[in-house]
CSV table of all heavy atoms in Angstrom, one decimal:
chain,number,residue,atom,x,y,z
A,85,ALA,N,-47.9,8.6,-5.8
A,85,ALA,CA,-49.2,8.0,-5.5
A,85,ALA,C,-49.2,6.5,-5.4
A,85,ALA,O,-48.5,5.9,-6.3
A,85,ALA,CB,-50.2,8.5,-6.5
A,86,GLU,N,-49.8,5.9,-4.5
A,86,GLU,CA,-49.8,4.5,-4.3
A,86,GLU,C,-50.4,3.8,-5.4
A,86,GLU,O,-50.0,2.7,-5.8
A,86,GLU,CB,-50.4,4.2,-3.0
A,86,GLU,CG,-50.2,2.7,-2.4
A,86,GLU,CD,-50.6,2.6,-1.0
A,86,GLU,OE1,-50.3,3.4,-0.2
A,86,GLU,OE2,-51.3,1.6,-0.8
A,87,ASP,N,-51.5,4.2,-5.9
A,87,ASP,CA,-52.2,3.5,-7.0
A,87,ASP,C,-52.6,4.5,-8.1
A,87,ASP,O,-53.6,5.2,-8.3
A,87,ASP,CB,-53.5,2.9,-6.4
A,87,ASP,CG,-54.0,1.8,-7.3
A,87,ASP,OD1,-53.8,1.9,-8.7
A,87,ASP,OD2,-54.7,0.9,-6.9
A,88,VAL,N,-51.6,4.6,-9.0
A,88,VAL,CA,-51.7,5.6,-10.1
A,88,VAL,C,-52.8,5.2,-11.1
A,88,VAL,O,-53.5,6.0,-11.7
A,88,VAL,CB,-50.2,5.7,-10.8
A,88,VAL,CG1,-50.5,6.6,-12.2
A,88,VAL,CG2,-49.3,6.4,-10.0
A,89,PRO,N,-53.0,3.9,-11.5
A,89,PRO,CA,-54.1,3.5,-12.3
A,89,PRO,C,-55.4,3.9,-11.7
A,89,PRO,O,-56.3,4.3,-12.4
A,89,PRO,CB,-53.9,2.0,-12.5
A,89,PRO,CG,-52.4,1.8,-12.3
A,89,PRO,CD,-52.1,2.8,-11.2
A,90,LEU,N,-55.6,3.8,-10.4
A,90,LEU,CA,-56.8,4.2,-9.9
A,90,LEU,C,-57.1,5.7,-9.9
A,90,LEU,O,-58.1,6.2,-10.2
A,90,LEU,CB,-56.9,3.7,-8.4
A,90,LEU,CG,-58.2,4.0,-7.6
A,90,LEU,CD1,-59.3,3.3,-8.4
A,90,LEU,CD2,-58.0,3.6,-6.2
A,91,TRP,N,-55.9,6.4,-9.8
A,91,TRP,CA,-56.0,8.0,-10.0
A,91,TRP,C,-56.4,8.2,-11.4
A,91,TRP,O,-57.2,9.1,-11.7
A,91,TRP,CB,-54.6,8.5,-9.5
A,91,TRP,CG,-54.7,9.9,-9.8
A,91,TRP,CD1,-55.1,11.0,-8.9
A,91,TRP,CD2,-54.5,10.7,-11.0
A,91,TRP,NE1,-55.1,12.3,-9.4
A,91,TRP,CE2,-54.6,12.1,-10.7
A,91,TRP,CE3,-54.0,10.4,-12.3
A,91,TRP,CZ2,-54.4,13.1,-11.7
A,91,TRP,CZ3,-53.7,11.3,-13.2
A,91,TRP,CH2,-54.0,12.7,-13.0
A,92,ILE,N,-55.9,7.4,-12.3
A,92,ILE,CA,-56.2,7.8,-13.7
A,92,ILE,C,-57.6,7.4,-13.9
A,92,ILE,O,-58.2,8.3,-14.7
A,92,ILE,CB,-55.2,6.9,-14.6
A,92,ILE,CG1,-53.8,7.4,-14.6
A,92,ILE,CG2,-55.8,6.9,-16.0
A,92,ILE,CD1,-52.8,6.6,-15.4
A,93,ALA,N,-58.1,6.3,-13.5
A,93,ALA,CA,-59.5,6.0,-13.6
A,93,ALA,C,-60.5,7.0,-13.1
A,93,ALA,O,-61.4,7.4,-13.7
A,93,ALA,CB,-59.8,4.6,-13.1
A,94,ASP,N,-60.1,7.4,-11.9
A,94,ASP,CA,-60.9,8.5,-11.3
A,94,ASP,C,-60.9,9.8,-12.0
A,94,ASP,O,-61.9,10.6,-12.1
A,94,ASP,CB,-60.4,8.7,-9.8
A,94,ASP,CG,-60.8,7.6,-8.9
A,94,ASP,OD1,-61.7,6.8,-9.2
A,94,ASP,OD2,-60.2,7.5,-7.8
A,95,GLU,N,-59.7,10.2,-12.5
A,95,GLU,CA,-59.6,11.3,-13.3
A,95,GLU,C,-60.4,11.4,-14.6
A,95,GLU,O,-61.0,12.2,-15.0
A,95,GLU,CB,-58.2,11.7,-13.5
A,95,GLU,CG,-57.8,13.1,-14.0
A,95,GLU,CD,-58.1,14.2,-13.1
A,95,GLU,OE1,-58.5,13.9,-12.0
A,95,GLU,OE2,-57.8,15.4,-13.5
A,96,ILE,N,-60.2,10.2,-15.3
A,96,ILE,CA,-61.0,10.0,-16.5
A,96,ILE,C,-62.6,10.1,-16.3
A,96,ILE,O,-63.3,10.7,-17.0
A,96,ILE,CB,-60.6,8.7,-17.3
A,96,ILE,CG1,-59.1,8.8,-17.7
A,96,ILE,CG2,-61.6,8.4,-18.4
A,96,ILE,CD1,-58.6,7.5,-18.3
A,97,HIS,N,-63.0,9.5,-15.3
A,97,HIS,CA,-64.3,9.5,-14.9
A,97,HIS,C,-64.8,10.9,-14.5
A,97,HIS,O,-65.9,11.3,-15.0
A,97,HIS,CB,-64.5,8.6,-13.6
A,97,HIS,CG,-66.0,8.5,-13.2
A,97,HIS,ND1,-66.5,9.1,-12.0
A,97,HIS,CD2,-67.0,7.9,-13.7
A,97,HIS,CE1,-67.7,8.8,-11.9
A,97,HIS,NE2,-68.0,8.1,-13.0
A,98,ARG,N,-64.0,11.7,-13.8
A,98,ARG,CA,-64.3,13.1,-13.6
A,98,ARG,C,-64.4,13.9,-14.8
A,98,ARG,O,-65.4,14.6,-15.0
A,98,ARG,CB,-63.2,13.7,-12.7
A,98,ARG,CG,-63.5,15.1,-12.3
A,98,ARG,CD,-62.2,15.7,-11.5
A,98,ARG,NE,-61.1,15.8,-12.3
A,98,ARG,CZ,-60.9,16.8,-13.2
A,98,ARG,NH1,-61.8,17.8,-13.4
A,98,ARG,NH2,-59.9,16.8,-13.9
A,99,ILE,N,-63.5,13.7,-15.8
A,99,ILE,CA,-63.5,14.6,-16.9
A,99,ILE,C,-64.8,14.2,-17.9
A,99,ILE,O,-65.5,15.0,-18.4
A,99,ILE,CB,-62.2,14.4,-17.7
A,99,ILE,CG1,-61.0,14.9,-16.9
A,99,ILE,CG2,-62.2,15.1,-19.1
A,99,ILE,CD1,-59.6,14.5,-17.4
A,100,CYS,N,-65.0,12.8,-17.9
A,100,CYS,CA,-66.1,12.3,-18.7
A,100,CYS,C,-67.5,12.9,-18.2
A,100,CYS,O,-68.2,13.3,-18.9
A,100,CYS,CB,-66.2,10.9,-18.7
A,100,CYS,SG,-64.9,10.1,-19.8
A,101,GLY,N,-67.6,12.9,-16.8
A,101,GLY,CA,-68.7,13.5,-16.2
A,101,GLY,C,-68.8,15.0,-16.5
A,101,GLY,O,-70.0,15.4,-16.8
A,102,GLU,N,-67.8,15.7,-16.4
A,102,GLU,CA,-67.8,17.2,-16.7
A,102,GLU,C,-68.4,17.5,-18.1
A,102,GLU,O,-68.9,18.5,-18.3
A,102,GLU,CB,-66.5,17.8,-16.5
A,102,GLU,CG,-66.1,17.9,-15.0
A,102,GLU,CD,-64.7,18.6,-14.9
A,102,GLU,OE1,-64.1,18.8,-15.9
A,102,GLU,OE2,-64.3,18.8,-13.7
A,103,ILE,N,-68.0,16.6,-19.1
A,103,ILE,CA,-68.4,16.9,-20.5
A,103,ILE,C,-69.6,16.1,-20.9
A,103,ILE,O,-70.0,16.2,-22.1
A,103,ILE,CB,-67.2,16.7,-21.5
A,103,ILE,CG1,-66.8,15.3,-21.5
A,103,ILE,CG2,-66.1,17.6,-21.1
A,103,ILE,CD1,-65.8,15.0,-22.7
A,104,GLY,N,-70.2,15.2,-20.0
A,104,GLY,CA,-71.4,14.7,-20.4
A,104,GLY,C,-71.3,13.2,-21.0
A,104,GLY,O,-72.1,12.6,-21.4
A,105,LEU,N,-70.0,12.6,-20.9
A,105,LEU,CA,-69.8,11.2,-21.3
A,105,LEU,C,-70.0,10.4,-20.0
A,105,LEU,O,-69.1,10.4,-19.2
A,105,LEU,CB,-68.4,11.1,-21.9
A,105,LEU,CG,-68.0,11.8,-23.1
A,105,LEU,CD1,-66.7,11.3,-23.6
A,105,LEU,CD2,-69.1,11.5,-24.2
A,106,SER,N,-71.1,9.7,-20.0
A,106,SER,CA,-71.3,8.9,-18.8
A,106,SER,C,-72.2,7.6,-19.1
A,106,SER,O,-72.6,7.4,-20.2
A,106,SER,CB,-72.1,9.7,-17.8
A,106,SER,OG,-73.3,10.3,-18.3
A,107,MET,N,-72.5,6.9,-18.0
A,107,MET,CA,-73.3,5.7,-18.2
A,107,MET,C,-74.7,6.0,-18.6
A,107,MET,O,-75.4,7.0,-18.0
A,107,MET,CB,-73.4,5.0,-16.8
A,107,MET,CG,-74.0,3.6,-16.9
A,107,MET,SD,-72.8,2.4,-17.5
A,107,MET,CE,-71.7,2.2,-16.1
A,108,ASN,N,-75.3,5.4,-19.5
A,108,ASN,CA,-76.7,5.6,-19.9
A,108,ASN,C,-77.6,5.1,-19.0
A,108,ASN,O,-77.3,4.2,-18.2
A,108,ASN,CB,-76.8,5.1,-21.4
A,108,ASN,CG,-76.0,5.9,-22.4
A,108,ASN,OD1,-75.8,7.2,-22.2
A,108,ASN,ND2,-75.5,5.2,-23.4
A,109,GLN,N,-79.0,5.3,-19.2
A,109,GLN,CA,-80.0,4.9,-18.3
A,109,GLN,C,-80.0,3.4,-18.3
A,109,GLN,O,-80.5,2.8,-17.3
A,109,GLN,CB,-81.4,5.5,-18.6
A,109,GLN,CG,-81.4,7.0,-18.2
A,109,GLN,CD,-82.8,7.6,-18.4
A,109,GLN,OE1,-83.6,7.0,-19.1
A,109,GLN,NE2,-82.9,8.8,-17.9
A,110,ASP,N,-79.8,2.8,-19.4
A,110,ASP,CA,-80.0,1.3,-19.4
A,110,ASP,C,-78.7,0.5,-18.9
A,110,ASP,O,-78.5,-0.7,-19.1
A,110,ASP,CB,-80.3,0.8,-20.9
A,110,ASP,CG,-79.1,1.1,-21.9
A,110,ASP,OD1,-78.2,1.7,-21.4
A,110,ASP,OD2,-79.3,0.8,-23.0
A,111,SER,N,-77.8,1.3,-18.3
A,111,SER,CA,-76.6,0.8,-17.7
A,111,SER,C,-75.5,0.3,-18.7
A,111,SER,O,-74.6,-0.3,-18.4
A,111,SER,CB,-76.9,-0.3,-16.7
A,111,SER,OG,-77.6,0.3,-15.6
A,112,GLN,N,-75.8,0.7,-19.9
A,112,GLN,CA,-74.8,0.3,-21.0
A,112,GLN,C,-73.9,1.6,-21.3
A,112,GLN,O,-74.6,2.6,-21.7
A,112,GLN,CB,-75.5,-0.2,-22.3
A,112,GLN,CG,-76.3,-1.5,-22.0
A,112,GLN,CD,-75.4,-2.7,-21.7
A,112,GLN,OE1,-74.3,-2.9,-22.2
A,112,GLN,NE2,-75.8,-3.4,-20.6
A,113,ASN,N,-72.6,1.4,-21.1
A,113,ASN,CA,-71.8,2.6,-21.3
A,113,ASN,C,-71.3,2.7,-22.7
A,113,ASN,O,-70.2,2.4,-23.1
A,113,ASN,CB,-70.6,2.5,-20.3
A,113,ASN,CG,-70.2,3.9,-19.9
A,113,ASN,OD1,-70.5,4.8,-20.5
A,113,ASN,ND2,-69.4,3.9,-18.8
A,114,TYR,N,-72.1,3.4,-23.6
A,114,TYR,CA,-71.9,3.5,-24.9
A,114,TYR,C,-70.9,4.7,-25.1
A,114,TYR,O,-70.2,4.7,-26.2
A,114,TYR,CB,-73.1,3.7,-25.7
A,114,TYR,CG,-74.0,2.5,-25.8
A,114,TYR,CD1,-75.2,2.6,-25.1
A,114,TYR,CD2,-73.7,1.3,-26.3
A,114,TYR,CE1,-76.1,1.5,-25.2
A,114,TYR,CE2,-74.4,0.2,-26.2
A,114,TYR,CZ,-75.7,0.4,-25.6
A,114,TYR,OH,-76.5,-0.8,-25.6
A,115,ASP,N,-70.8,5.6,-24.3
A,115,ASP,CA,-70.0,6.8,-24.4
A,115,ASP,C,-68.5,6.6,-24.0
A,115,ASP,O,-67.6,7.4,-24.3
A,115,ASP,CB,-70.6,8.0,-23.6
A,115,ASP,CG,-72.0,8.4,-24.1
A,115,ASP,OD1,-72.2,8.2,-25.2
A,115,ASP,OD2,-72.7,8.9,-23.3
A,116,VAL,N,-68.2,5.6,-23.2
A,116,VAL,CA,-66.9,5.5,-22.7
A,116,VAL,C,-66.3,4.2,-23.1
A,116,VAL,O,-66.9,3.1,-23.3
A,116,VAL,CB,-67.1,5.4,-21.1
A,116,VAL,CG1,-65.7,5.2,-20.4
A,116,VAL,CG2,-67.7,6.9,-20.7
A,117,GLY,N,-65.0,4.1,-23.3
A,117,GLY,CA,-64.2,3.0,-23.6
A,117,GLY,C,-63.5,2.5,-22.6
A,117,GLY,O,-63.7,2.5,-21.4
A,118,SER,N,-62.4,1.7,-23.0
A,118,SER,CA,-61.5,1.1,-21.9
A,118,SER,C,-60.1,1.6,-22.2
A,118,SER,O,-59.7,2.2,-23.3
A,118,SER,CB,-61.5,-0.4,-22.0
A,118,SER,OG,-61.2,-0.8,-23.3
A,119,ALA,N,-59.2,1.4,-21.3
A,119,ALA,CA,-57.8,1.8,-21.3
A,119,ALA,C,-56.9,0.7,-20.8
A,119,ALA,O,-57.2,0.0,-20.0
A,119,ALA,CB,-57.6,3.2,-20.6
A,120,LEU,N,-55.6,0.7,-21.4
A,120,LEU,CA,-54.6,-0.1,-21.0
A,120,LEU,C,-53.5,0.9,-20.4
A,120,LEU,O,-53.1,1.7,-21.2
A,120,LEU,CB,-54.0,-1.0,-22.1
A,120,LEU,CG,-53.3,-2.2,-21.6
A,120,LEU,CD1,-54.2,-3.3,-20.7
A,120,LEU,CD2,-52.9,-3.0,-22.9
A,121,ILE,N,-53.2,0.6,-19.1
A,121,ILE,CA,-52.3,1.5,-18.4
A,121,ILE,C,-51.0,0.7,-18.0
A,121,ILE,O,-51.1,-0.3,-17.3
A,121,ILE,CB,-52.9,2.1,-17.2
A,121,ILE,CG1,-54.2,2.8,-17.6
A,121,ILE,CG2,-52.0,3.2,-16.5
A,121,ILE,CD1,-55.3,3.1,-16.5
A,122,GLY,N,-49.9,1.3,-18.3
A,122,GLY,CA,-48.7,0.7,-17.7
A,122,GLY,C,-48.0,1.7,-16.8
A,122,GLY,O,-47.8,2.8,-17.1
A,123,VAL,N,-47.7,1.2,-15.5
A,123,VAL,CA,-47.1,2.1,-14.5
A,123,VAL,C,-45.8,1.3,-14.0
A,123,VAL,O,-46.0,0.2,-13.5
A,123,VAL,CB,-48.0,2.5,-13.4
A,123,VAL,CG1,-47.3,3.2,-12.3
A,123,VAL,CG2,-49.3,3.2,-13.8
A,124,ARG,N,-44.7,1.9,-14.4
A,124,ARG,CA,-43.4,1.3,-14.1
A,124,ARG,C,-43.4,-0.1,-14.7
A,124,ARG,O,-43.1,-0.2,-15.9
A,124,ARG,CB,-43.1,1.2,-12.6
A,124,ARG,CG,-42.9,2.7,-12.0
A,124,ARG,CD,-42.7,2.7,-10.5
A,124,ARG,NE,-43.9,2.7,-9.8
A,124,ARG,CZ,-44.8,3.7,-9.5
A,124,ARG,NH1,-44.5,4.8,-10.0
A,124,ARG,NH2,-45.8,3.4,-8.7
A,125,ASP,N,-43.6,-1.1,-13.9
A,125,ASP,CA,-43.5,-2.6,-14.5
A,125,ASP,C,-44.9,-3.3,-14.4
A,125,ASP,O,-44.8,-4.5,-14.5
A,125,ASP,CB,-42.4,-3.2,-13.8
A,125,ASP,CG,-42.6,-3.5,-12.3
A,125,ASP,OD1,-43.5,-2.8,-11.8
A,125,ASP,OD2,-41.9,-4.3,-11.7
A,126,ARG,N,-45.9,-2.6,-14.2
A,126,ARG,CA,-47.2,-3.3,-14.0
A,126,ARG,C,-48.3,-2.8,-15.1
A,126,ARG,O,-48.4,-1.6,-15.3
A,126,ARG,CB,-47.8,-3.1,-12.7
A,126,ARG,CG,-49.1,-3.6,-12.4
A,126,ARG,CD,-49.6,-3.5,-11.0
A,126,ARG,NE,-49.0,-4.5,-10.2
A,126,ARG,CZ,-49.4,-4.8,-8.9
A,126,ARG,NH1,-50.1,-4.1,-8.3
A,126,ARG,NH2,-48.7,-5.8,-8.3
A,127,ILE,N,-49.0,-3.8,-15.6
A,127,ILE,CA,-50.0,-3.4,-16.6
A,127,ILE,C,-51.4,-3.5,-15.8
A,127,ILE,O,-51.7,-4.4,-15.1
A,127,ILE,CB,-50.1,-4.5,-17.6
A,127,ILE,CG1,-48.8,-4.5,-18.4
A,127,ILE,CG2,-51.3,-4.3,-18.6
A,127,ILE,CD1,-48.8,-5.6,-19.5
A,128,THR,N,-52.2,-2.5,-16.1
A,128,THR,CA,-53.5,-2.5,-15.5
A,128,THR,C,-54.6,-2.2,-16.6
A,128,THR,O,-54.3,-1.3,-17.5
A,128,THR,CB,-53.7,-1.4,-14.4
A,128,THR,OG1,-52.7,-1.7,-13.4
A,128,THR,CG2,-55.0,-1.4,-13.7
A,129,ARG,N,-55.7,-2.7,-16.6
A,129,ARG,CA,-56.8,-2.4,-17.5
A,129,ARG,C,-57.9,-1.6,-16.8
A,129,ARG,O,-58.3,-2.1,-15.7
A,129,ARG,CB,-57.3,-3.8,-18.1
A,129,ARG,CG,-58.4,-3.6,-19.2
A,129,ARG,CD,-58.8,-5.0,-19.7
A,129,ARG,NE,-58.2,-6.1,-19.2
A,129,ARG,CZ,-58.7,-7.1,-18.4
A,129,ARG,NH1,-60.0,-7.1,-18.1
A,129,ARG,NH2,-58.0,-8.1,-18.1
Side-chain angles (χ1 to χ4, degrees):
E86 195 169 309
D87 199 328
V88 174
L90 184 58
W91 179 88
I92 289 173
D94 288 345
E95 189 71 359
I96 292 171
H97 184 247
R98 180 188 66 79
I99 296 168
C100 287
E102 285 180 356
I103 67 171
L105 297 183
S106 60
M107 193 77 79
N108 294 326
Q109 287 185 347
D110 61 357
S111 297
Q112 297 298 312
N113 209 340
Y114 297 117
D115 293 336
V116 176
S118 56
L120 200 59
I121 304 162
V123 178
R124 293 179 281 277
D125 61 349
R126 172 173 281 189
I127 300 173
T128 303
R129 182 177 357 114

